[in-house]
Amino acid sequence: VPTEGESRAAFAHIRKQALAHQAAGRRIVVVQGLGFVGAAVAAVVAGARNSAGDPLNVVIGVDRPEADSYWKVAALNAGRAPIASPDPALAGLIAEGVACHSLFATTCEDAYEIANVIIVDVHLDAANRVGGAETDIDVGLASFRSAVQTVGRRMSPDALVLIETTVPVGACTEIAEPILREERRRRGITAPLQLAHAYERVMPGPRYVDSIRAYWRSYAGIDDSSAQAARAFLSTFIDTDVAPLWELPDTTSSELGKLLENSYRSLNIAFMYEWTLLAESLGANLFEIVDAIRVRKGTHDNMRYPGFGVGGYCLTKDSLLAQWGAEHLLGSDVKLPMTLAALDTNYHMPKHTLDLLRLAVGDDLGGVTVSLLGISYLADVGDTRNSPAELLCDELLAAGAALRAHDPHIAEWRERPHVPLVDDLDLALRNTDAIVMAVPHSEYRRLMPQDIHDAVGRPAVLVDAQNVITDAAASVLREAGWLLIGVGKGHWQSAGYHRTS
Amino acid sequence: VPTEGESRAAFAHIRKQALAHQAAGRRIVVVQGLGFVGAAVAAVVAGARNSAGDPLNVVIGVDRPEADSYWKVAALNAGRAPIASPDPALAGLIAEGVACHSLFATTCEDAYEIANVIIVDVHLDAANRVGGAETDIDVGLASFRSAVQTVGRRMSPDALVLIETTVPVGACTEIAEPILREERRRRGITAPLQLAHAYERVMPGPRYVDSIRAYWRSYAGIDDSSAQAARAFLSTFIDTDVAPLWELPDTTSSELGKLLENSYRSLNIAFMYEWTLLAESLGANLFEIVDAIRVRKGTHDNMRYPGFGVGGYCLTKDSLLAQWGAEHLLGSDVKLPMTLAALDTNYHMPKHTLDLLRLAVGDDLGGVTVSLLGISYLADVGDTRNSPAELLCDELLAAGAALRAHDPHIAEWRERPHVPLVDDLDLALRNTDAIVMAVPHSEYRRLMPQDIHDAVGRPAVLVDAQNVITDAAASVLREAGWLLIGVGKGHWQSAGYHRTS
């Protein structure tokens, strides 16, 4: 981590180049926060070109000079993506942006002073997300307030502040706007404030970059001038022919839209959990039933599948931001019981996989070796934020199981450093008592039943929580003496695949 | 209603023609029950042609010789659709089928004896659908059992019985199959029983016929032979190039699929109700927010809109058939709390429209004239089955309001004969105190604000429960002194459109 002096010295160099871009008619865009969203947005905005192939923006990513964030600044300046991504376009954009001097990163807050646009992409957490009354919701506003305050203290008078962070409903008008106005008043700025909200829909995965560049975007400003500035800027890096922009009438509507769309997803996952339990009890294969329903394009084709649980940064908390913001920022007394119950259902979902494991192994897991395949919250992505594997591991360890975790995309499990993470799949499986398939990574889908059997060295138990194992593969394993059980796979259960002989 | 003798005499004529078709290689298909599904299925099956344009099937619709059902038989034989439909193709198919002697209707049960295929399209109701424990669910199985028993007593040994009725999960193997086997055993039939389930997805509306002929269909048999027979028959009238058939492994899966897909729809409507209340309390226009979200094709484009309530024959009860069948037919102890709570929410939803009315008119509705526009459960369709208008009318009458209902598609409201139904829209509106827009019929959407004002003759209250009134029209009415309030239209509320001056 650089000292403040080192940081300023490094920034002097960036500043010079950025101002040269600005003099050539390009926007200086400062991205505040270089996490899963900010780093990718920075890369895409820096990669925006006009029809002649010239850059439209120069981007400076800013993150804090602390051990847990500075590495992102260093990675970006070295031309590397701070996030491992299966989308090669992300690394390509970053390398190109750095090579062409249109993408920089810094810890120096002077960057805000030269920005034409400041994009706020900082974290805003919601804790106590599970169980209890909605009054227990704990929203981590301090860092958001502080980030906005920093912007207000340093921004140039006519810069556009664009909030992309997912915020409690009301945060733009009740938190960001008053803070910015107060800081600007202190500085004697009389120019009108330009503030807009444009929520991101970034999806880590193979289409990471396109989830920004070629994906629909809603936005709203605190006034017409802010909305127009936001539209003009968003149009520089979003392919609006593919994904037209949608202006909403006010920032509250825009904030609510983001929280609603993620709550909708979360609810539909929780709904399918009820039917997972039902289908299992009836001996039905719910995956196949859902497939047969999803052919109904336009009405039913987004029905969710049974699964292991819900993780990530959005679906696990966004409903709370709606409930909390409505009550505490905007004075609403409306409750969202169904929406919040869904969060609770989804949080506890991995316990069902544990129940299935017990059905096959027996109630006492003491001393039982369990190999957990997959700790990421998403297939083919190395992202452990709020992974549902956390709860399963906690419960397995509490029950005395000998746990080995494996994930081809994760080298270090920051949230559960005490869980043994085995790099080599064969070693993770060797002589284990039970395998839990928790994430449908391609590497696991490609496994042949003989591979699994050989790696373990003898028949064992397999719990498939993600429809990774086909019926044909299950049949081969069963012939070899394995016990199998699966989330949503009632047909295995009705055929006695899991009963101990 | 004909006597049994008259019925037999009429059938002798039908029988002769049907047997001639059969001799020419066509299937005789008997459709049991000529309701919203059966009548349309009969028409489509009769209209099926081979590539040379020759009919593939001859269809005999059967319904009971009673006052509340015989009219359907008479209508069909007269070449008229027993159901008013906005889809001209339905009337066309029926007229053509009758004219070409490939579509008949009868009350005579002798029809079952000559059938190659018997389609069961009888009603199966679930009552006590709202509130209370799931043990209170009351499924009207008697008529279903009786219908299947009739089939078993009369069917030819090698006919295929195809159940399209939406049944409790388990009904094929636990109810229909044992009844059919028992009746056939008594008759000394040793041929294997052919029984399959293929749930319909009929949608009353402008694409009524295509919702059968060009729409996806799942099916399952009690054995391979039954499944093959079902596929062969379904392929005669379903355009499988457009909508390939999907075979499920067993009838339980097929039954569950139908109940799941309607429960999914029902849940998503209930979910949006929570957010409707929230958006109204925040002054947001939820219709516009949902529109902005629905651009996300494939993941969010089927998000529901705010509305008045849920009616019809499917979404109001199918979840109950899942819960009841699982417990009472298949011995499952799994509960569906979220799914059943959604039914409850949807049932009570019209009370919110009443609340909005009170916000504009005042709490005391005694003597207040209320004009209810729309009593059908669906736009542009004349169908009052379980219409949400029932609850609103009950509450309005209990509160002492002077009620006038209007619906361009309904001449008689069988479920609420005591509610005055006014044919003429102008008369329904003349000098009223408050209008409730409950169904987005095209006729209402076409109304100009001046039309509404002139019809009433003075400013009044308008409650828009279905986004019928545009913001521009609302603004004109407000200028003219009207008070307006709308479900999901928080922006009207925040702009003070409904407050009494």
Side-chain angles (χ1 to χ4, degrees), chain B residues 270-284:
Chain B
F271 168 72
M272 198 50 62
Y273 178 65
E274 274 193 6
W275 288 74
T276 297
L277 300 187
L278 185 70
E280 287 176 16
S281 78
L282 303 183

Side-chain angles (χ1 to χ4, degrees), chain B residues 4 19 24 169 205 288 299 313 333 336 445 495:
Chain B
E4 194 172 332
L19 290 175
V169 62
E288 182 166 2
T299 58
Y313 192 65
D333 59 0
L336 301 171
R445 288 195 181 280

Side-chain angles (χ1 to χ4, degrees), chain A residues 197-250:
Chain A
H197 183 258
Y199 62 91
E200 46 78 20
R201 287 157 165 166
V202 170
M203 284 168 291
R207 303 194 66 236
Y208 211 142
V209 164
D210 274 352
S211 75
I212 300 169
R213 193 168 57 187
Y215 212 68
W216 301 274
R217 192 68 93 103
S218 297
Y219 69 97
I222 56 165
D223 54 23
D224 284 347
S225 160
S226 299
Q228 279 168 31
R231 170 176 282 268
F233 170 60
L234 292 167
S235 301
T236 66
F237 65 93
I238 292 176
D239 182 351
T240 55
D241 291 336
V242 171
L245 298 172
W246 189 300
E247 184 176 337
L248 283 165
D250 48 55

Side-chain angles (χ1 to χ4, degrees), chain A residues 3 7 18 27 37 44 77 93 110 114 119 128 136 173 266 280 306 327 338 420 449 460-461 494 497:
Chain A
T3 63
S7 178
R27 282 178 180 83
V37 172
V44 171
N77 277 329
L93 277 175
D110 294 354
I114 57 171
I119 306 182
N128 296 358
D136 295 337
T173 56
S266 159
E280 287 177 16
E327 181 177 349
M338 183 177 277
V461 162
S494 64
Y497 270 36

Side-chain angles (χ1 to χ4, degrees), chain B residues 158-193:
Chain B
D158 55 355
L160 167 69
V161 179
L162 183 71
I163 295 179
E164 284 197 333
T165 295
T166 302
V167 293
V169 62
C172 285
T173 56
E174 308 306 313
I175 297 174
E177 186 178 344
I179 290 174
L180 291 173
R181 289 202 188 280
E182 173 61 15
E183 295 298 336
R184 289 162 62 97
R185 190 192 59 74
R186 284 189 194 172
R187 292 169 57 197
I189 296 173
T190 55
L193 171 65

Side-chain angles (χ1 to χ4, degrees), chain A residues 215-216 257 261 263-265 267-268 271 274-275 278 281 293 295-296 298-300 302 326 332 336-339, chain B residues 215-216 257 261 263-265 267-268 271 274-275 278 281 293 295-296 298-300 302 326 332 336-339:
Chain A
Y215 212 68
W216 301 274
E261 63 187 73
S263 296
Y264 165 79
R265 234 26 198 175
L267 182 96
N268 275 292
F271 168 72
E274 275 193 5
W275 289 74
L278 184 69
S281 78
I293 293 172
V295 298
R296 296 184 66 177
T299 58
H300 293 73
N302 62 356
S332 168
L336 301 171
M338 183 177 277
T339 302
Chain B
Y215 213 67
W216 301 275
E261 62 186 73
S263 295
Y264 165 79
R265 227 38 192 168
L267 182 97
N268 275 292
F271 168 72
E274 274 193 6
W275 288 74
L278 185 70
S281 78
I293 293 172
V295 298
R296 296 184 66 175
T299 58
H300 294 72
N302 62 357
S332 168
L336 301 171
M338 184 177 277
T339 301

